[in-house]
Amino acid sequence: DEAQLDAFNARIAAEHAALPWETVHALWRAGFARLLEQAAAAPEGLLLERGRLAWLEGHALGDVLAGSREHHREHREEIEA
């Protein structure tokens, strides 16, 4: 839900607050590249089957990845504005 996402974002921001922007951006790029690599290597069944991964609380991995893509797009637009 939105409150959980806001709390997660606040925690991440606090953890990186003392770092220079260049470092934060490099960490993000490396992490996002790993996410894309892992997603590309995932079998289709893992991406589409709801409830297969308990930690996703009934969501399909593909849905979570699509949400992550949209989340990153939102922040990209904010940063480039």
Side-chain angles (χ1 to χ4, degrees):
D1 76 1
E2 200 68 30
Q4 284 181 315
L5 184 57
D6 289 343
F8 178 78
N9 282 338
R11 182 177 59 82
I12 296 298
E15 289 175 0
H16 294 84
L19 298 173
W21 165 247
E22 293 79 12
T23 301
V24 173
H25 190 249
L27 289 169
W28 167 80
R29 286 182 63 87
F32 196 59
R34 281 192 308 274
L35 173 70
L36 295 176
E37 289 169 8
Q38 293 296 313
E44 185 176 339
L46 184 64
L47 294 171
L48 301 177
E49 187 178 333
R50 295 185 189 287
R52 183 163 176 181
L53 301 170
W55 57 276
L56 293 180
E57 300 176 353
H59 298 283
L61 181 57
D63 293 338
V64 173
L65 292 170
S68 178
R69 179 187 63 226
E70 292 307 313
H71 181 76
H72 282 84
R73 284 182 178 161
E74 285 177 23
H75 286 287
R76 179 179 178 189
E77 291 170 2
E78 292 171 2
I79 291 168
E80 292 177 349

